[in-house]
């Protein structure tokens, strides 16, 4: 038994910076000698019971220490008799994630090997050049529920109800974040996410920030930027907010927990212009800088609990 978490799963959410993080992981796996297990399957996030059992079996038998990464909704290893791994993930503002995906499917990014014609060869021209405002305002399937209910199922899991926009899936996703995820960061504060990953999982992420800030690596990262993105009208954005109200409730919950964790370990949130909050949300506690009661749980004891999994 290794003296640190030897089974880590990064069930990466699409268009939330995961390609940047995977680039870093490839470098880190060679540097630190852990087994980076990736998957060529990118568009199958929902699995049958047999597919879940098969994937969990394959992951669990990988050489340890390993870090497994794939676009897949949360898998409950203990349900099938396996050891529950440490989960990590990153999410971003839901509207920004949706827009990035919308234009990426149509026009790709700056990398030639994964351009839009390769990814969506059967997309008709009228669909490829469909105006984003038309898609939203005229309620095209791509711009309406359940397609917009995207982030929560990654944390809710494989239950069919996890795909239905509603309170049940939202609450189950929150519960899994609390019980099974070591860290869920937000892309808007990626450097702080990397700092905390280095603190919590040094055998995997030691030195990650210096690699990320390296000019040569930043050039590679810039190639993953989606091209031809445009901003919808204020009316269209407001409609998206309303359709994605559960996504936003989850996003602000995760953001609050992430900021509490940052403060617990001495990282100050960068002061910047806050993202626009939909009017149907109550301001979250993260916006009030109240001191944390450090007597509740010692930092090192908290990490020890993670390492004993």
């Amino acid at each position: 038994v290794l003296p640190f978490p030897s089974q880590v799963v990064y069930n990466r959410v699409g268009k939330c910076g995961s390609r940047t993080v995977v680039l870093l992981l490839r470098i880190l796996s060679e540097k630190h000698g852990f087994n980076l297990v990736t998957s060529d399957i990118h568009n199958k996030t929902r699995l049958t019971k047999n597919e879940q059992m098969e994937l969990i079996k394959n992951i669990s038998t990988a050489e340890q220490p390993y870090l497994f990464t794939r676009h897949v909704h949360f898998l409950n290893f203990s349900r099938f008799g396996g050891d529950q791994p440490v989960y990590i993930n990153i999410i971003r503002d839901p509207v920004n994630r949706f827009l990035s995906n919308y234009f990426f499917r149509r026009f790709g990014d700056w990398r030639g090997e994964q351009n839009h014609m390769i990814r969506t060869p059967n997309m008709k021209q009228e669909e490829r050049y469909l105006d984003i405002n038309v898609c939203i305002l005229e309620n095209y399937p791509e711009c309406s529920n359940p397609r917009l209910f995207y982030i929560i199922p990654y944390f809710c899991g494989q239950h069919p109800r996890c795909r239905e926009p509603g309170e049940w899936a939202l609450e189950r996703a929150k519960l899994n974040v609390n019980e099974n995820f070591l860290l869920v960061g937000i892309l808007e504060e990626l450097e702080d996410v990397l700092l905390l990953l280095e603190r919590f999982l040094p055998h995997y992420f030691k030195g990650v920030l210096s690699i990320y800030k390296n000019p040569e690596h930043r050039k590679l990262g810039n190639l993953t930027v989606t091209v031809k993105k445009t901003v919808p009208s204020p009316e269209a954005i407001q409609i998206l907010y309303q359709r994605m109200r559960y996504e936003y409730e989850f996003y602000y919950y995760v953001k609050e927990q992430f900021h509490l964790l940052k403060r617990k370990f001495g990282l100050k949130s960068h002061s910047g212009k806050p993202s626009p909050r939909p009017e149907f949300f109550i301001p979250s506690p993260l916006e009030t800088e109240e001191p944390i009661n450090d007597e509740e749980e010692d930092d090192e004891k908290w990490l020890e609990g993670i390492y004993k999994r």
Side-chain angles (χ1 to χ4, degrees):
V1 178
L2 296 170
F4 58 88
S6 58
Q7 302 171 82
V8 180
V9 171
Y10 172 29
N11 63 320
R12 49 198 177 112
V13 182
K15 306 312 296 175
C16 289
S18 63
R19 286 174 298 154
T20 297
V21 177
V22 170
L23 282 173
L24 291 168
L25 285 170
R26 294 190 190 285
I27 298 170
L28 291 166
S29 65
E30 293 184 8
K31 184 176 181 181
H32 299 315
F34 63 85
N35 183 18
L36 179 62
V37 184
T38 60
S39 173
D40 293 328
I41 302 172
H42 301 292
N43 297 314
K44 190 172 179 57
T45 57
R46 307 166 183 174
L47 309 177
T48 66
K49 182 178 179 181
N50 286 336
E51 288 171 337
Q52 291 178 58
M53 292 174 65
E54 186 66 23
L55 181 57
I56 287 172
K57 178 183 175 182
N58 290 339
I59 296 171
S60 300
T61 55
E63 182 183 351
Q64 297 183 22
Y66 69 74
L67 189 150
F68 173 78
T69 179
R70 172 178 162 177
H71 293 301
V72 64
H73 295 168
F74 175 79
L75 294 162
N76 190 338
F77 281 59
S78 57
R79 180 189 173 199
F80 300 102
D83 293 330
Q84 193 69 3
V86 166
Y87 270 88
I88 58 173
N89 218 320
I90 301 170
I91 65 174
R92 73 190 288 190
D93 177 276
V95 166
N96 286 338
R97 194 220 68 82
F98 164 74
L99 293 176
S100 181
N101 185 65
Y102 183 88
F103 292 103
F104 179 70
R105 287 187 68 243
R106 286 162 171 77
F107 308 114
D109 53 27
W110 294 107
R111 298 179 303 167
E113 74 272 19
Q114 283 195 356
N115 61 46
H116 57 287
M117 296 306 294
I118 294 174
R119 290 188 63 85
T120 53
N122 298 320
M123 183 180 284
K124 297 178 180 179
Q125 286 297 92
E126 58 265 29
E127 182 184 357
R128 192 175 302 282
Y129 291 96
L130 176 65
D131 183 86
I132 183 70
N133 290 299
V134 172
C135 184
I136 297 166
L137 298 175
E138 297 188 12
N139 207 26
Y140 278 67
E142 187 177 357
C143 298
S144 59
N145 280 319
R147 295 279 188 90
L148 298 179
F149 193 69
Y150 183 86
I151 297 174
I152 287 175
Y154 275 87
F155 300 87
C156 178
Q158 297 289 336
H159 193 286
R161 290 186 68 184
C162 288
R163 307 163 199 170
E164 302 170 6
E167 290 288 339
W168 188 90
L170 170 65
E171 293 306 317
R172 182 159 172 158
K174 289 180 180 177
L175 183 67
N176 275 333
V177 166
N178 293 335
E179 293 186 350
N180 291 295
F181 283 80
L182 172 63
L183 178 68
V184 182
I186 56 171
L187 183 61
E188 294 85 354
E189 299 172 35
L190 180 57
E191 287 193 12
D192 287 342
V193 177
L194 298 177
L195 276 170
L196 287 178
L197 284 171
E198 184 171 8
R199 173 71 186 269
F200 299 161
L201 298 169
H203 295 86
Y204 300 85
F205 288 96
K206 186 177 181 181
V208 63
L209 201 57
S210 61
I211 298 170
Y212 174 70
K213 289 183 173 182
N214 184 289
E216 292 302 315
H217 183 269
R218 296 306 280 265
K219 287 180 183 177
L220 287 174
N222 289 338
L223 294 177
T224 66
V225 175
T226 301
V227 299
K228 295 189 179 182
K229 276 199 292 188
T230 59
V231 180
S233 68
E235 179 188 4
I237 289 178
Q238 186 60 32
I239 288 173
L240 282 180
Y241 277 145
Q242 295 292 340
R243 291 176 183 170
M244 302 172 86
R245 59 188 179 275
Y246 294 112
E247 292 276 274
Y248 268 99
E249 190 170 338
F250 181 72
Y251 171 73
Y252 283 113
Y253 176 80
V254 167
K255 189 174 182 180
E256 175 186 343
Q257 299 303 311
F258 180 63
H259 282 189
L260 288 171
L261 202 57
K262 280 172 58 174
R263 287 160 55 193
K264 184 180 180 70
F265 285 90
L267 294 178
K268 292 184 178 180
S269 295
H270 299 296
S271 58
K273 187 177 180 181
S275 58
R277 178 184 291 273
E279 60 185 23
F280 47 80
F281 278 113
I282 300 170
S284 69
L286 66 90
E287 294 176 344
T288 59
E289 294 296 320
E290 297 178 0
I292 296 174
N293 184 0
D294 290 327
E295 294 178 357
E296 290 182 2
E297 189 173 21
D298 178 76
D299 291 354
E300 298 306 324
K301 286 183 179 178
W302 181 81
L303 281 177
E304 283 177 14
I306 295 296
Y307 273 50
K308 286 177 182 176
R309 288 187 182 183

